[in-house]
Each structure stands twice: as structure tokens, then as C-alpha cells.
Amino acid sequence: MTDMTTESAPEVTDAAPQSTADTSPVPRPEYLPEKFWNAEENSPNIEGLAKSYSELEKKFSQRASSLKEELMSEKREGVPDSMDGYEFNMPEINNLPDGWDVSMQEDDPMLGWWKETAHARGLTQDEFQDGINRYFDLHFGGLPDRSVELQALGDNAQARIDRVDMWLNKNLDENEYNAIADFAVTADAIQVLEKIIGIQQSEPSLSGFDGEPMTGNMSEDKLRQMMDDPRYWKPGELDDAYRAQVTAAWQKHYG
């Protein structure tokens, strides 16, 4: 008789497996204020966070608006209520050539533009005038020094200038004369014009005017001798009546 053995089957139980999850309360993060932590649910108070952020944003916006008003108020101290409140003062311009008249009218478009721009930028009256001064200095600050130019032309500088001026008056129309006059403000320019119009410049002679009556049309040589007279060009010896006679003689000569 053969022995038969059987292996026993594993024992089956109804017990559930043991859980390894950590069920301890979740701690509040250090970066999160306690008032935004829901201790009962161990989670952030999202509603509280949103409400607080909304209130903070509102306060910040109000403060920014208040600061802007304060800054605008400070900025506008000394600024006219309108562009028409700016006062234009003509700056002093030195070394202007004889006959030059520099001015600016209140209805000048450039002045109107500057008033509008200054007011839009909140500039004070002093800042507005400073812009005016800089404008004129830019345009006229580089003009030559008249005393230096006269010295460069020599002792009879004024006589040479007057001779050139008389010729230009005689031979050019008004527009042409004004164009040349703007150019003839330096010693070099006067010398160039002397060459162009054929005036031969010589050193001043002290022989003077010999007193002969100024009748008829005098020669150019004689007129030049008259202009070399100290009464015509030399400071301290100028004679207005004599200068007027010489001018009249030149006008008659070119007449």
C-alpha cells in the first residue's frame, strides 16, 4: 500500500493590509502668515489671501494716486495757468553790427510754439526765459567783435567801411544790399568787397583836406584824400560837419 501525502494550502485570513501613510497634521509653512492658515483643514486660507491682496492693491493704488497729485502740485508751482501767462523778455545781444535790429514779436510762430511747449512740460517763467536766452545766444552769440574787426582794418577802418557801403547802396537794390550787409560784418569781408567793387585801398595819409570848395563832381582820388583826413576817421578829431561833406561828395560822385 503506497503512502500518499498532501501539501497543506496557505491559510487565508480576512485581515486588511496595514497602511504606511503619515496621518500626522501638515505643519504651516514658515513663509505663510498664521492668519492665512486654516488649522482645522491644515491648508492655506485661499479666500483670506485673495481678500487681503485685493485690499492691499486698492490701498497701493490710492497712495500712488495721492503721491502723483502731490508731485504734480509741487511741479506746477510757478507755472502759469495757461501758455499765455508766460512773459517774453528780449535778451541783451552784444556786438551787433551797425544797422542790425534784432527783435521778436508776440505773434511770432516760434514764440507761440515755445510757450505751448513750455506749458505742456510744466516749465516755470524762469525756465521759459532761459530757453529764450539760449535761443538768441545760439543764433547771435558767435557774432564777431566789432572793435576787433575795426582794428584789423587799420586806422581808417570806418572810412573803408563807409566807402564800401556807399557803393553797395548805389549799385544794389534793397534785397541785394541787405544780403550783402549781413555778410559784411568782418574785416575779411570788407577787404573782399573792396576787391570786388574795385576800390584800391591805400595806407591813410595825413595830408588832409586842403580846403578847396566842394563844387562840381570831384574825382575819386580827391575824395579818397578827403576820407584820409583825420577829421573823417581819427577818434578824438572827428568832425561831423566834415564827414557829412565827404559823404555828400561821394553820393554826388556816384550820382
Side-chain angles (χ1 to χ4, degrees):
M1 182 174 188
T2 303
D3 293 333
M4 298 182 65
T5 59
T6 60
E7 294 181 1
S8 60
E11 183 179 359
V12 179
T13 64
D14 295 332
Q18 296 290 330
S19 174
T20 59
D22 187 359
T23 59
S24 60
V26 177
R28 173 179 58 84
E30 294 183 359
Y31 60 81
L32 188 66
E34 188 173 353
K35 63 180 180 178
F36 297 129
W37 181 254
N38 190 330
E40 294 180 0
E41 299 180 2
N42 289 327
S43 63
N45 184 351
I46 303 300
E47 182 179 355
L49 277 170
K51 182 178 180 180
S52 178
Y53 176 82
S54 178
E55 292 176 351
L56 179 63
E57 187 178 38
K58 182 178 180 180
K59 289 181 180 180
F60 178 81
S61 177
Q62 292 174 342
R63 179 56 179 163
S65 177
S66 177
L67 286 173
K68 182 178 180 179
E69 291 178 0
E70 291 177 9
L71 291 174
M72 289 298 294
S73 176
E74 293 178 1
K75 180 180 180 180
R76 293 189 62 80
E77 289 183 5
V79 179
D81 293 334
S82 69
M83 57 175 281
D84 295 329
Y86 287 109
E87 180 180 353
F88 168 72
N89 297 305
M90 186 69 192
E92 181 179 355
I93 304 175
N94 299 318
N95 298 326
L96 277 179
D98 290 343
W100 280 34
D101 181 21
V102 178
S103 62
M104 179 175 281
Q105 302 301 319
E106 284 292 336
D107 59 354
D108 189 294
M110 178 64 72
L111 180 58
W113 170 84
W114 176 233
K115 285 184 176 182
E116 182 179 1
T117 300
H119 191 263
R121 296 185 178 182
L123 301 187
T124 65
Q125 171 63 38
D126 289 342
E127 292 168 333
F128 169 80
Q129 185 61 42
D130 183 60
I132 295 292
N133 296 342
R134 289 175 181 270
Y135 171 81
F136 279 93
D137 183 62
L138 177 65
H139 283 77
F140 302 102
L143 289 175
D145 189 321
R146 178 173 171 78
S147 61
V148 173
E149 300 304 322
L150 288 174
Q151 185 177 2
L153 286 173
D155 291 336
N156 62 338
Q158 191 58 52
R160 296 174 66 179
I161 294 173
D162 289 345
R163 265 184 272 183
V164 169
D165 186 65
M166 276 189 259
W167 190 94
L168 295 177
N169 264 307
K170 172 65 178 177
N171 293 277
L172 303 179
D173 62 31
E174 183 178 356
N175 290 333
E176 293 168 339
Y177 175 84
N178 289 336
I180 293 296
D182 290 342
F183 162 74
V185 294
T186 65
D188 288 342
I190 293 297
Q191 291 168 355
V192 169
L193 288 172
E194 286 176 334
K195 291 182 178 181
I196 292 175
I197 64 181
I199 296 178
Q200 300 299 321
Q201 177 60 36
S202 61
E203 292 297 321
S205 168
L206 298 181
S207 59
F209 178 51
D210 58 12
E212 79 176 49
M214 292 174 52
T215 59
N217 195 347
M218 303 181 69
S219 68
E220 189 166 325
D221 288 340
K222 186 61 178 180
L223 290 172
R224 288 176 181 171
Q225 291 178 14
M226 291 169 60
M227 295 185 74
D228 286 336
D229 190 296
R231 288 175 293 174
Y232 188 86
W233 62 267
K234 189 172 183 179
E237 298 184 25
L238 296 177
D239 185 328
D240 290 339
Y242 179 80
R243 288 171 60 87
Q245 287 180 327
V246 174
T247 298
W250 273 104
Q251 292 174 340
K252 187 175 182 179
H253 177 76
Y254 282 115

